[in-house]
Amino acid sequence: MTAEHTADPGETAPGKESASASLRPWPNWFRTLFLSDLWERFGFFGMQAILVLFAVAPRDEGGLGLAKADAAALFGAWIGLAFMLCLPGGWIADRLLGPRRTLLLGAAITTAGHFALATPLLWLTPLALVLLAVGMGLYKPNHQALLNLMFKDNGRREAGISLIYVGIQVSALTSPLIAGFLGERVDWRLGFAVSGTAMLIGTVQVALARPQFQGVGERPGRPLDAETARRVKRRAGTVTGILVLLLGGMAAAGGLTAGSGIALVGMVTIVAPVIAYTVLYRSRELGPGDRRRLRSFLWIFLGSTLFWSLIAQDGSSLTLFAKHSTDRDVLGFEVPVSWLQSATPLFILVLAPVFAWLLLKHGGGRAGVPAKFSAGLLLTGVSFLVMALAAGLASGDDKVSPIWLLVVYLMHACGELIVAAVGIAAVADVLPRRFIAHMLGLLWLFAALGGGAGSGLVRLIDVIPEALYYLLLAVLALAVGGTLALRRHTVARGLAPEDAAPPVTVKEGDPL
């Protein structure tokens, strides 16, 4: 999140307020949202644990038979697309369907995607991945929206989110152990079917729980007027027509391959954040101070992009490294590759209270946001130095201990606990409160850009030695993290509120 084990960029890390370990004191609607999210994340992490392994498996073993770089790029492109669709998912709820119905629609589409992957029809795989991305884009932002709408007390809200966060980590820990084992050792389809079954349970729970919400989130908050609806339909029709013509032309010419599809998704995830940021920056509702803070926050957006593109390696290149370059034999039992992906959520469960205390203790000062963000990037850079050394030791037919990967996953867990919490918390103070949903959507889009960039970066594995690939990632993270650390005071001044920022420090048009 990866965008993934903690915090998708739109989820909130646990704060200083602890939640009850039991669901009994909580209302029925909260138990429904808690359990539906637990099942949704169980399906997501189970599918993620075996997707790349399924993609590289030969056709005669039931896999897609993709090259290693294509399989790793597929995962990055899919994550990028799913993150990117969270912004329109929020818009659909806000303007068309309302959060509860959009949440239910997303859950149903996600269920269909999992079961499409579970069929023996390989040609359904691209459609299944699109369904999963669309479903996640509809589900995730509206699950959070319903929580915010239903909770009236802020303290209760924070405690509830903390409890849900624990549920996410439990799913991330257990689902690779179950779905991963069944997929790797029995049949890929069975692993995907387990994820689909989990999502089906969550979907049924949400569908049956409608009375619990007492009409909250049933209607769009800002429904479209007739003229705007007509304009949206025209634009949607135009975009759909262009996509159909483009994809149809590529298919007719024989150019619609796995590689071209991944490249197309990657291109969209790169273009969308640039357009969205530019449109917001030029909004007439923003004043000079708002634009100054938005310019400075671009450092955080781009740092987030880099961070999530690196963390996306957990489910792609690092999974392939675990498969081919680690000795996983323990007392005669070969540990499934997918089981190693349970390490990050385990580390997060153990370390989350520690990092919540550290972030609270060292939260003062204007330079806090860029300094903490740079610390997360620097830690991730060091993790890839470790990976470069491990890949160097595993050259040829030699294999290394999985402990190397566990050390890397530990560093990634620490980095996620810093970056996810700091990025989401900082969004609230950049623009006026009415823009907070818009800013969170932008954070999703820049995370999508990270997924798209990661799908391109990982192709270097086929061009350069693996150790050099990880070394380049380390240098990139260390360079950006170091630059942000050096400029932390400048960035902090740019993020300061009107009464705290000297009017001549940052001028319109000044470089970042």
Side-chain angles (χ1 to χ4, degrees):
M1 224 252 163
T2 87
E4 292 138 38
H5 292 289
T6 63
D8 299 319
E11 289 170 351
T12 305
K16 60 182 179 180
E17 197 153 344
S18 62
S20 169
S22 170
L23 288 176
R24 289 181 181 177
W26 298 88
N28 290 335
W29 63 262
F30 178 81
R31 291 198 288 270
T32 294
L33 292 179
F34 175 90
L35 292 172
S36 69
D37 201 54
L38 186 147
W39 291 119
E40 190 272 338
R41 290 289 88 185
F42 186 98
F44 171 83
F45 288 115
M47 183 275 297
Q48 173 186 278
I50 59 175
L51 177 60
V52 171
L53 301 174
F54 161 71
V56 298
R59 289 291 184 108
D60 58 5
E61 295 180 9
L64 296 179
L66 297 182
K68 189 166 84 168
D70 281 340
L74 174 68
F75 177 81
W78 178 79
I79 283 291
L81 180 62
F83 283 173
M84 183 178 66
L85 292 176
C86 286
L87 185 59
W91 184 90
I92 289 171
D94 193 30
R95 309 306 301 271
L96 297 176
L97 298 178
R100 195 199 67 82
R101 287 189 292 174
T102 308
L103 173 74
L104 180 58
L105 177 63
I109 292 175
T110 302
T111 302
H114 283 303
F115 281 118
L117 271 181
T119 69
L121 305 174
L122 291 179
W123 60 268
L124 276 178
T125 301
L127 175 61
L129 292 176
V130 170
L131 288 174
L132 287 169
V134 171
M136 178 175 165
L138 294 170
Y139 181 94
K140 292 306 294 179
N142 291 297
H143 183 272
Q144 183 66 52
L146 270 181
L147 280 171
N148 285 324
L149 287 171
M150 293 299 293
F151 275 120
K152 304 305 180 185
D153 175 72
N154 188 56
R156 189 79 163 161
R157 180 186 298 117
E158 290 179 358
I161 291 175
S162 293
L163 185 56
I164 285 178
Y165 185 86
V166 172
I168 290 170
Q169 302 314 312
V170 171
S171 291
L173 175 63
T174 57
S175 59
L177 301 179
I178 300 172
F181 178 82
L182 292 173
E184 285 189 65
R185 299 296 169 84
V186 183
D187 189 280
W188 299 115
R189 309 299 170 181
L190 186 57
F192 292 130
V194 168
S195 293
T197 302
M199 193 65 232
L200 178 61
I201 294 172
T203 302
V204 171
Q205 282 183 326
V206 173
L208 296 178
R210 179 181 178 181
Q212 297 173 4
F213 296 95
Q214 299 179 343
V216 175
E218 199 69 27
R219 302 291 179 186
R222 297 184 300 127
L224 294 176
D225 58 70
E227 177 57 32
T228 305
R230 284 192 293 269
R231 187 165 61 248
V232 168
K233 288 179 181 178
R234 286 196 300 269
R235 291 177 179 175
T238 301
V239 171
T240 301
I242 292 173
L243 285 175
V244 169
L245 289 174
L246 176 63
L247 296 176
M250 291 175 65
L256 191 58
T257 63
S260 63
I262 293 168
L264 182 62
V265 172
M267 182 179 67
V268 173
T269 58
I270 290 171
V271 172
V274 175
I275 294 175
Y277 179 88
T278 303
V279 169
L280 178 60
Y281 184 83
R282 293 180 176 178
S283 171
R284 295 179 180 179
E285 297 181 62
L286 300 184
D290 297 324
R291 292 193 176 91
R292 164 177 57 78
R293 287 188 295 276
L294 195 56
R295 284 197 303 272
S296 294
F297 202 77
L298 187 58
W299 276 97
I300 306 303
F301 279 142
L302 295 178
S304 179
T305 294
L306 174 60
F307 180 79
W308 293 115
S309 69
L310 296 175
I311 294 300
Q313 306 294 316
D314 289 8
S316 55
S317 63
L318 297 192
T319 296
L320 295 174
F321 181 85
K323 177 179 175 64
H324 299 293
S325 302
T326 60
D327 180 7
R328 292 172 281 110
D329 184 80
V330 178
L331 300 176
F333 173 73
E334 187 179 40
V335 176
V337 176
S338 53
W339 282 17
L340 292 176
Q341 293 195 40
S342 292
T344 301
L346 177 60
F347 290 140
I348 289 171
L349 279 172
V350 173
L351 295 174
V354 177
F355 275 82
W357 176 80
L358 287 173
L359 290 174
L360 182 64
K361 181 177 177 64
H362 299 285
R366 292 183 190 172
V369 171
K372 293 174 194 172
F373 223 85
S374 67
L377 288 172
L378 291 171
L379 189 59
T380 307
V382 173
S383 76
F384 281 102
L385 287 179
V386 174
M387 271 308 303
L389 181 57
L393 294 173
S395 59
D397 293 330
D398 294 333
K399 293 188 175 184
V400 298
S401 168
I403 292 175
W404 287 93
L405 274 176
L406 294 178
V407 171
V408 171
Y409 289 147
L410 173 61
M411 292 184 179
H412 287 184
C414 295
E416 285 191 43
L417 285 167
I418 298 171
V419 169
V422 172
I424 295 167
V427 160
D429 298 323
V430 178
L431 298 181
R433 299 293 291 181
R434 65 182 181 275
F435 287 95
I436 189 169
H438 200 141
M439 286 292 291
L440 283 169
L442 269 181
L443 198 62
W444 278 100
L445 281 183
F446 277 92
L449 174 57
S455 69
L457 280 173
V458 79
R459 291 188 177 279
L460 292 174
I461 287 181
D462 277 356
V463 180
I464 61 177
E466 195 167 5
L468 179 57
Y469 170 71
Y470 292 124
L471 182 60
L472 290 175
L473 295 184
V475 170
L476 181 60
L478 292 172
V480 175
T483 302
L484 184 55
L486 292 173
R487 294 183 59 87
R488 64 189 183 280
H489 295 296
T490 302
V491 175
R493 285 196 298 270
L495 292 173
E498 300 300 317
D499 56 355
V504 295
T505 300
V506 182
K507 298 179 182 178
E508 188 81 21
D510 276 357
L512 290 175

